[in-house]
Amino acid sequence: MSTMLQDYDHLLNIDPLSQYDILTTNPESHLYALGRCKESLNGRWHFTVDVYDTFLRKKFFEERVTDAQGRALPVDCDFDQWETVEVPSNWNCQKKEYWYFEGSGIYTRTFHYVPKAPDERVILHLGASNYGCRVWLNTRLIGRHTGGFTPFSVELTQHLKPNAGNRLILEVNNTRSVDQVPSLNYDWFNYGGVFRSVDLYRVPACYIRDSYIALAPNNRYDTLAVEITVDGAGSGIPVWLEIPELSLSVMLHTDAFGVAKSELTAKPQLWSPQNPKLYRVMVSTEGDRIEELVGFRQITTLGKKILLNGQEIFLKGVCCHEEIPERGRALTPADQRQVILQAKELGCNIMRLSHYPHDRNMALLADEMGMLLWEEIPVYWALCFENPTTQASAQNQMTELVMRDRNRASVVLWGVGNENPDTEARLDFMRALVDICKRLDPTRLTTAACLVDIDVMTVRDRLCQYIDVVAINEYYGWYYRDYTGLATILENTKLDRPLVISETGADALSGHHGMDEELFTEEHQAKMYQKQLELSEGSIQGFFPWILYDFRSPIRLNSYQQGFNRKGLISYDKTHRKLAHRVIQDYSCSVKN
Ligand code: GCB
């Protein structure tokens, strides 16, 4: 193309954007970014919404501001004059005008890079950005990620300018699209932007990229399985693992793939919600070191029972979205602690962090505070199950979540999906996700929130044979006004494995009172839970009310809802406990044998 035509590319090229769809980052080669020093890039970033994707169309990232003769060109963009927003945050909460914005948002900032060691490598790590994110450093597109809730990393080393300012640009796009995970339609608000931390990590040429340690589920509670991956290493590189409190100090060696793997004998005190014991685990190589707190416990099933450290346990749960008034999904550590405390106040031993991966810190806090977790990815309602792009995205998200949290004792369940239609394509899709969980982490259980087949009033989703714990979402007393349907289903459903109710609930507007059969009243919600508990007692291994707090959802449009799903046991502002709160608090979660 002649220069002249190139200049008109943004006008004449009908599809100028697909050239930016470079390969997405490989989830298995991400940095396990815990327990090492970091330099935060959080704070004020220059930002604009980019409604027509002009940043890409006009290649603003090139920063071409002068012509060949050095004369200033009229450019429709001046990064450093843009307004600033806080990172992490959702743009929807930054300005009234951005509330419903779905599209591209461009974030940019510079940072001064001074090398500290001759062979150092620098890795950029993002906790999450919804949904797609492209990364430019000093005019070059160097990374792309899809999936709105999982972390990713991009190596910057080759493109960094030492002892100079370096421009970083994040182009984040939260447009809903049919082949994404989730797809176009879901029951929560589509907050956009970079809403988890952005950090830089300096690592040596040969660094610890991943570290996995878990109690082997052999019923003997005496073996720790470890797998440490060293990037940039060949075989024979020494790796040290120490757990001082267990008097454990071993040297392992990497294989040809840079992986050091072993089973070690140790008898740790077991982690449980009653005794959330954590051990300091240190992993080091010649030039690198990470340190984290890890608990050891075993979660298994035996027939219909769920066993934690060999003891039968009833999962007294509650579901929860990740949302806070004013700040969207960007919860602070104090907000996160309050969420877990409010679940504890209900007497819960487990939380379902629905319907997408919540911030990594939730699992760290749950480890410390003694709360079990069910974590999941947004394989929600209808997806393009036969589409390879959709499959790849779900598999990436699953891999990223498992690799992020598989050292967290609190996490006992990986959720692979929620209310998906039982088709051949979906079964293959889900089995691939279950396989990822089992391959990357054989120490946890898999589950999925399945649909009840209401024609025959039984659970017969074919996925049930491939997951460890069968879960059902059912709304008898709400979407189906007749409570007895629940009894029929529980009677008809014959399973050889545990069954939990992963969702049930009713909308109740905070402070709205009336008769106990009047919809949207607190009385009705309380009665619904009483009936549900009566009818399911003795037939299930866990019960997860939907949901801890009211949450925003654009599909809830009646006058009680006004853009909120009102099924919370607690109001949106997290202060008002509805009458049903008491019902849940009061029921006992002991196991009935
Ligand atoms: C469900 C969904 C959940 C919804 C809920 C409801 O089955 O899994 O995401 O919010 O029902 O309130 O209808």
Side-chain angles (χ1 to χ4, degrees):
M1 211 192 298
S2 71
T3 318
M4 176 78 162
L5 278 181
Q6 244 173 41
D7 286 346
Y8 286 127
D9 193 42
H10 65 283
L11 307 177
L12 306 181
N13 186 348
I14 189 75
D15 181 23
L17 304 186
S18 54
Q19 61 185 298
Y20 303 108
D21 287 342
I22 59 167
L23 280 183
T24 54
T25 55
N26 171 4
E28 292 201 35
S29 62
H30 288 170
L31 172 73
Y32 180 69
L34 200 66
R36 51 165 75 247
C37 292
K38 61 185 178 189
E39 289 159 57
S40 173
L41 292 184
N42 293 340
R44 304 304 291 185
W45 286 56
H46 293 283
F47 176 77
T48 188
V49 294
D50 182 14
V51 184
Y52 291 177
D53 294 308
T54 313
F55 168 80
L56 296 179
R57 290 176 196 281
K58 287 197 159 178
K59 302 186 192 314
F60 289 155
F61 50 85
E62 286 182 346
E63 296 200 67
R64 224 163 32 103
V65 290
T66 53
D67 68 9
Q69 281 71 45
R71 288 171 305 203
L73 289 169
V75 183
D76 298 334
C77 161
D78 47 7
F79 292 137
D80 297 325
Q81 304 308 314
W82 288 352
E83 66 175 334
T84 61
V85 297
E86 196 62 25
V87 168
S89 74
N90 291 114
W91 61 56
N92 319 68
C93 306
Q94 298 295 300
K95 221 179 179 181
K96 211 165 92 253
E97 290 80 352
Y98 299 161
W99 179 250
Y100 284 114
F101 180 67
E102 292 187 328
S104 285
I106 317 293
Y107 296 80
T108 182
R109 63 163 285 168
T110 55
F111 61 92
H112 197 78
Y113 170 60
V114 181
K116 287 191 181 156
D119 68 342
E120 83 181 4
R121 296 166 71 174
V122 180
I123 296 171
L124 174 76
H125 184 272
L126 267 90
S129 51
N130 189 32
Y131 177 87
C133 179
R134 294 189 185 90
V135 180
W136 276 264
L137 180 68
N138 299 327
T139 75
R140 302 179 75 134
L141 174 60
I142 55 164
R144 174 170 166 251
H145 179 258
T146 62
F149 303 92
T150 38
F152 63 98
S153 52
V154 179
E155 181 155 3
L156 305 185
T157 319
Q158 283 181 356
H159 312 288
L160 276 171
K161 290 191 283 193
N163 305 309
N166 286 264
R167 176 172 302 284
L168 195 57
I169 303 174
L170 305 175
E171 180 246 339
V172 180
N173 190 306
N174 74 333
T175 307
R176 284 166 300 115
S177 119
V178 71
D179 60 355
Q180 290 181 172
V181 181
S183 186
L184 296 169
N185 180 36
Y186 40 86
D187 193 15
W188 64 85
F189 191 83
N190 181 24
Y191 290 102
V194 181
F195 64 102
R196 294 189 187 143
S197 291
V198 184
D199 298 293
L200 288 182
Y201 291 86
R202 293 174 196 251
V203 295
C206 175
Y207 70 96
I208 302 160
R209 198 181 67 216
D210 188 47
S211 170
Y212 175 39
I213 181 161
L215 186 70
N218 60 9
N219 290 320
R220 294 197 311 268
Y221 311 102
D222 64 355
T223 309
L224 302 184
V226 299
E227 190 174 324
I228 292 144
T229 308
V230 182
D231 193 288
S235 60
I237 302 282
V239 178
W240 291 271
L241 178 109
E242 288 165 82
I243 308 180
E245 221 185 314
L246 292 174
S247 307
L248 200 77
S249 174
V250 289
M251 182 168 73
L252 311 170
H253 287 95
T254 55
D255 62 16
F257 303 101
V259 178
K261 216 171 163 172
S262 188
E263 298 218 321
L264 311 167
T265 302
K267 268 262 178 210
Q269 237 185 77
L270 299 179
W271 184 99
S272 70
Q274 296 74 29
N275 177 33
K277 170 72 189 154
L278 299 175
Y279 290 89
R280 202 153 61 89
V281 174
M282 281 113 76
V283 175
S284 51
T285 57
E286 284 286 320
D288 199 14
R289 176 190 159 89
I290 63 175
E291 181 174 325
E292 63 180 317
L293 291 171
V294 181
F296 300 105
R297 55 97 195 98
Q298 178 179 283
I299 186 85
T300 46
T301 60
L302 184 65
K304 292 185 78 65
K305 296 178 180 172
I306 300 173
L307 308 177
L308 178 67
N309 300 328
Q311 302 288 314
E312 188 176 1
I313 182 173
F314 182 88
L315 302 181
K316 179 167 179 174
V318 68
C319 304
C320 189
H321 269 289
E322 183 179 50
E323 193 178 28
I324 186 105
E326 323 287 294
R327 292 197 294 284
R329 305 218 187 284
L331 274 65
T332 63
D335 299 331
Q336 292 161 340
R337 195 173 280 276
Q338 184 199 7
V339 170
I340 298 181
L341 285 174
Q342 288 194 318
K344 283 197 157 236
E345 183 193 314
L346 273 175
C348 294
N349 56 19
I350 184 164
M351 298 181 70
R352 176 178 175 203
L353 302 184
S354 31
H355 277 301
Y356 39 76
H358 292 207
D359 190 87
R360 181 184 66 183
N361 195 43
M362 281 300 278
L364 290 164
L365 283 173
D367 267 12
E368 174 202 315
M369 296 166 76
M371 176 64 74
L372 300 168
L373 295 180
W374 159 336
E375 294 194 336
E376 66 191 46
I377 58 168
V379 172
Y380 185 90
W381 292 351
L383 298 186
C384 296
F385 293 109
E386 44 306 276
N387 181 329
T389 307
T390 312
Q391 292 162 1
S393 176
Q395 291 174 18
N396 277 0
Q397 295 186 46
M398 195 80 247
T399 305
E400 287 160 349
L401 174 61
V402 173
M403 293 190 68
R404 189 191 74 174
D405 284 352
R406 60 185 174 164
N407 285 354
R408 304 281 75 78
S410 52
V411 181
V412 287
L413 284 166
W414 298 124
V416 297
N418 184 81
E419 295 182 354
N420 318 108
D422 187 7
T423 62
E424 284 299 326
R426 174 267 192 171
L427 189 60
D428 292 346
F429 186 102
M430 305 304 258
R431 287 181 61 187
L433 299 179
V434 171
D435 288 349
I436 288 176
C437 296
K438 292 295 178 190
R439 177 172 60 81
L440 294 175
D441 175 33
T443 74
R444 282 176 183 78
L445 306 177
T446 52
T447 190
C450 301
L451 286 168
V452 173
D453 186 334
I454 50 168
D455 291 336
V456 285
M457 294 297 274
T458 187
V459 183
R460 60 172 190 184
D461 187 327
R462 284 173 294 170
L463 180 62
C464 295
Q465 329 161 31
Y466 300 101
I467 50 183
D468 300 308
V469 174
V470 174
I472 51 167
N473 294 351
E474 52 79 19
Y475 284 84
Y476 286 91
W478 183 247
Y479 295 122
Y480 300 103
R481 296 304 310 285
D482 179 14
Y483 294 101
T484 56
L486 175 58
T488 313
I489 287 162
L490 294 175
E491 209 177 289
N492 290 350
T493 301
K494 305 277 177 256
L495 293 168
D496 60 350
R497 58 197 73 196
L499 173 70
V500 303
I501 294 180
S502 41
E503 279 182 33
T504 189
D507 280 57
L509 182 64
S510 255
H512 179 51
H513 294 281
M515 303 297 283
D516 66 10
E517 273 307 316
E518 196 182 324
L519 299 182
F520 295 97
T521 63
E522 290 197 20
E523 284 73 8
H524 175 259
Q525 188 191 34
K527 177 175 172 196
M528 199 273 333
Y529 277 114
Q530 261 150 3
K531 295 291 277 180
Q532 282 271 340
L533 289 165
E534 266 165 49
L535 290 168
S536 60
E537 193 183 341
S539 314
I540 52 171
Q541 284 67 49
F543 185 81
F544 294 75
W546 182 260
I547 185 170
L548 186 54
Y549 309 108
D550 290 352
F551 59 97
R552 286 190 186 272
S553 169
I555 68 171
R556 304 293 173 177
L557 297 171
N558 76 25
S559 56
Y560 296 110
Q561 299 166 324
Q562 302 198 14
F564 290 85
N565 184 312
R566 303 279 186 197
K567 294 191 186 70
L569 297 168
I570 303 180
S571 56
Y572 182 62
D573 66 5
K574 302 190 179 2
T575 59
H576 176 77
R577 289 154 181 79
K578 304 181 193 172
L579 293 175
H581 187 273
R582 204 16 149 357
V583 178
I584 299 302
Q585 213 171 27
D586 286 352
Y587 90 87
S588 136
C589 68
S590 60
V591 186
K592 319 256 171 341
N593 286 309

